[in-house]
Amino acid sequence: MIKKSVSLTAEGKKELEQELEDLIKSRPEIAERIATARAFGDLSENEEYSSARNEQKLAESRILEIQEILKNAKIIRAGKKDSVTLGVTVVLDMGGRMVEYTLVGPTEANPLEGKISNESPIGKAVFGRKASEEFDFNGKKVKLVEIK
């Protein structure tokens, strides 16, 4: 099986490493909750036990996922800011509405935080463009005002 590299910013890598550390630190607490709930008796009707086991499964699954991402991570280093590449921040004029996005890989994308994937529709539309370029996006004129 060929492993696909995962593009991450240095900040995104740090955030994943912190999440991994926090999840690993939560293991003893979850195990203690399972042990305490197990002591209540009949496990088939023990909601505390089921809940703690489910939390353990989710945590372990996420730990494995993060470890795999970090193992295949390729750190994005924004190069020259003469065209849009991964890791740069762009300011777009979308019909009089100014928006600012940082272009990241899909693993790190979070539109609510202004981080868009290079694989998203707007990410694909802006990728490789130069400042002051205008282009159509969803039938509207968009201008790439600035690359930071």
Side-chain angles (χ1 to χ4, degrees), residues 13-135:
K13 182 178 182 232
K14 283 180 190 171
E15 288 172 5
L16 280 175
E17 288 169 338
Q18 183 61 56
E19 182 182 353
L20 179 61
E21 184 180 319
D22 292 346
L23 285 167
I24 290 171
K25 284 180 182 177
S26 75
R27 281 174 163 164
E29 178 187 322
I30 295 170
E32 186 177 315
R33 285 187 47 221
I34 290 171
T36 302
R38 187 179 287 135
F40 292 149
D42 184 10
L43 300 181
S44 64
E45 295 181 17
N46 188 329
E47 183 59 35
E48 290 85 4
Y49 178 77
S50 296
S51 174
R53 289 286 294 162
N54 189 44
E55 184 180 350
Q56 182 184 44
K57 286 177 192 172
L58 290 172
E60 292 302 322
S61 174
R62 183 65 178 150
I63 286 170
L64 291 174
E65 180 182 20
I66 293 171
Q67 287 173 332
E68 190 66 21
I69 290 169
L70 292 173
K71 185 168 46 172
N72 296 299
K74 183 179 104 187
I75 303 304
I76 300 167
R77 286 178 179 37
K80 296 178 185 171
K81 296 191 169 95
D82 55 353
S83 67
V84 179
T85 60
L86 282 173
V88 301
T89 299
V90 296
V91 178
L92 304 174
D93 180 347
M94 301 181 86
R97 192 175 122 243
M98 303 299 271
V99 293
E100 189 172 301
Y101 295 119
T102 300
L103 208 64
V104 296
T107 304
E108 199 175 345
N110 185 340
L112 297 175
E113 293 179 2
K115 296 176 182 177
I116 59 167
S117 167
N118 62 312
E119 296 178 9
S120 70
I122 188 68
K124 286 178 182 176
V126 76
F127 197 85
R129 296 196 182 270
K130 298 187 181 315
S132 299
E133 256 190 75
E134 291 187 9
F135 59 97

